[in-house]
Amino acid sequence: MSGPMSLEPGGAEQDTLALRLARPRPPRRRPRWALDDTTLAVRLPRRGPDEEAVSALAAELADRVGPAVHPYEVAALLEAEGLSAATVSERYGHPNLFSLASALYERVPRTFPDPSAAADPWRPDTVRCLLRGLLFALPALAYLLTAPLWRADRYAAVLIVAGVVSWAWGQALGHRAYLRLVRGRREAARTLLTGAPLGAAVATGLAALPAAGGPVTVLAGAQSLYLAAAGVLLVLGRERLLLAALSPLAAGAAVLPWWEPGPVLRAGLPLLALLATLAVTARVLWAGLAVPAAADGPRPSPRASLPYGLFGLAAAVLVLLEGRRHPYAVIALTLSMGPAEWLLYRYRGWSVAALRASGTPRGFRLRSAAVFGGCLSAYLLLLLPAALLTGAGPATLLPLAAVLWTALLLQAFGTAWPPALLCAAAAGGAGAVTWLDLPPGPAVLGPVCALAALCLAVCAIRLLGRPSPHA
């Protein structure tokens, strides 16, 4: 049979098979198209798809069919719209749902809209970053207040040794505390409660060697205690409490241009600030220990914090070498640590945006290098006026700042050993030339830091130019 069977005279052209039901009385003859409830209408299958209906459906669902990457996604969409097999067959003339989905997929052009912009997870807290930079430099007011009470030329070496050791210990302890902070605040507080006093004791003990057990050892111990306590507060995010504790120093230094406070206040205000810092630190640690303990888990190995301590030691030596020649430049460098931290956050946020905007690894590598160059240039431009005003010159201060910022950037991404080794090599070379009085003398710091900054920049572009560290 090649066509529909005609059961009525003249019905070959109809697509409806009409079966008459028996009635007691034969009805009056009516037109064949006017069927009532006594006629059972059976619709024969269509000869092909209803292109007009399919086009209307495609126009209706174009915004959701366009982003599909396979017809099966369109089929899932049609199922979600409630289209049954009978509807697909009767209304659109397709044998099944997948046939209609394929027709829609071919009819609608592919469109892949960009995802909506997500919130920047690395948006920096500007006030907090600037406050941290201020807190790094504010303790220097204690030396300004107590300067007439002791001979800086005689006892400076003792405080320098204590400061360098405290800096290195604080970097390593801070890293370990951050690792423990992932487990819980109680675990971080326990790590700091054990490590901070131990670091202060180690720094004081090493400072006692050049002091030969003299009374200046007490001053070195006070400095080490403050650096340990301040490190605890900074790790736990209590910058405002530390600022309040240091307010006696700020008040005493503010009146020096107009009033001589006398030896009692000159010694008493730094002591009051130290006691306030220790009291606030004890309170914060006590509150951390009161938090319920987290589930037991493996503790990080102390060796994981070793490169951070090595970097702290190298950075302290480099800053010390610069401070011997230009102390005010070091103060400016210390204050710039706040904007430096802000730019570290900005680099991470802009790198994530560059990753979303890149379609190829090479494109992201170029964008990542541009972000790195922009952030580093902004930091160095910020320090340029300070280098000129303090007499340090851009050739020394700016390479040193570039070394510190790039090393901190790599550490922020978990790359610790390369910056630690490069900074240690730079500090060792510049320190040996300076202390052995070899040519070119203290001027070697600039070229050494420039070479270290170049190596660190190459390392940063190579390691951070891949998508994986930013994903």
Side-chain angles (χ1 to χ4, degrees), residues 298-361:
R299 290 190 176 187
S301 172
R303 289 178 295 180
S305 302
L306 180 59
Y308 295 88
L310 179 60
F311 165 74
L313 178 62
V317 172
L318 291 174
V319 172
L320 171 63
L321 293 175
E322 176 66 12
R324 292 180 60 189
R325 302 172 60 197
H326 306 100
Y328 293 106
V330 170
I331 295 176
L333 181 63
T334 305
L335 287 171
S336 73
M337 287 295 104
E341 185 174 346
W342 187 89
L343 285 169
L344 290 177
Y345 279 101
R346 284 287 78 196
Y347 173 84
R348 303 203 71 164
W350 288 335
S351 295
V352 172
L355 181 61
R356 292 171 178 167
S358 302
T360 62

Side-chain angles (χ1 to χ4, degrees), residues 197-263:
L198 182 58
V202 171
T204 305
L206 293 177
L209 298 179
V216 73
T217 308
V218 177
L219 188 58
Q223 174 185 274
S224 301
L225 281 175
Y226 167 77
L227 291 176
V232 171
L233 295 176
L234 291 174
V235 168
L236 297 179
R238 302 299 185 183
E239 292 86 3
R240 287 176 173 81
L241 291 178
L242 180 57
L243 179 63
L246 293 178
S247 57
L249 287 181
V255 301
L256 284 181
W258 302 278
W259 178 60
E260 169 56 43

Side-chain angles (χ1 to χ4, degrees), residues 2-29:
S2 60
M5 182 183 297
S6 176
L7 299 183
E8 290 187 2
E13 73 282 359
Q14 301 294 326
D15 61 353
T16 301
L17 178 63
L19 303 179
R20 296 293 181 181
L21 300 180
R23 292 179 63 97
R25 294 176 57 187
R28 180 171 55 89
R29 187 173 180 83

Side-chain angles (χ1 to χ4, degrees), residues 20 37 50 88 99 122 125 161 170 174 207 209 231 240 249 270 272-273 303 312 334 357 376 441 454 462:
R20 296 293 181 181
D37 57 356
D50 189 341
V88 170
S99 175
W122 298 105
D125 186 344
V161 170
L209 298 179
R240 287 176 173 81
L249 287 181
L272 178 60
R303 289 178 295 180
T334 305
L376 181 58
L454 178 61
R462 179 176 176 272

Side-chain angles (χ1 to χ4, degrees), residues 19 34 55-56 58 63 121 154 163 192 211 250 257-258 260 271 373 380 401 408 420 429 450 467:
L19 303 179
S55 298
D63 57 337
R154 182 177 179 183
L192 293 170
W258 302 278
E260 169 56 43
L271 179 60
L380 298 182
L408 291 173

Side-chain angles (χ1 to χ4, degrees), residues 27 31 111 121 143 156 214 225 233 276 285 305 344 372 410 433 438 449 468:
T111 58
Y143 304 110
L225 281 175
L233 295 176
L285 288 177
S305 302
L344 290 177
F372 170 78
L410 289 169
V433 171
L438 300 176
C449 286
S468 54

Side-chain angles (χ1 to χ4, degrees), residues 34-220:
L35 303 178
D36 54 12
D37 57 356
T38 62
T39 300
L40 177 61
V42 180
R43 185 73 60 184
L44 294 178
R46 295 182 181 270
R47 297 180 181 273
D50 189 341
E51 299 296 337
E52 184 177 351
V54 174
S55 298
L57 181 63
E60 180 182 353
L61 303 178
D63 57 337
R64 286 179 286 175
V65 174
V69 297
H70 195 274
Y72 285 175
E73 293 187 43
V74 183
L77 172 63
L78 296 178
E79 284 185 336
E81 291 292 321
L83 291 181
S84 62
T87 304
V88 170
S89 176
E90 294 179 4
R91 184 180 302 175
Y92 302 104
H94 278 268
N96 52 56
L97 188 70
F98 294 99
S99 175
L100 177 59
S102 298
L104 294 176
Y105 183 80
E106 295 174 359
R107 196 175 297 248
V108 178
R110 304 273 66 76
T111 58
F112 302 104
D114 294 332
S116 57
D120 185 2
W122 298 105
R123 184 177 181 181
D125 186 344
T126 304
V127 175
R128 182 171 178 266
C129 291
L130 295 178
L131 178 58
R132 288 173 68 89
L134 178 63
L135 290 175
F136 292 149
L138 197 58
L141 296 177
Y143 304 110
L144 180 64
L145 283 170
T146 60
L149 306 179
W150 59 291
R151 294 183 56 184
D153 57 343
R154 182 177 179 183
Y155 301 116
V158 179
L159 298 181
I160 288 173
V161 170
V164 169
V165 175
S166 296
W167 198 342
W169 187 279
Q171 289 289 316
L173 179 62
H175 173 259
R176 184 167 178 80
Y178 279 123
L179 292 180
R180 298 292 288 162
L181 191 60
V182 176
R183 302 286 304 173
R185 200 166 187 85
R186 178 186 177 89
E187 286 68 25
R190 290 181 60 183
T191 299
L192 293 170
L193 181 61
T194 304
L198 182 58
V202 171
T204 305
L206 293 177
L209 298 179
V216 73
T217 308
V218 177
L219 188 58

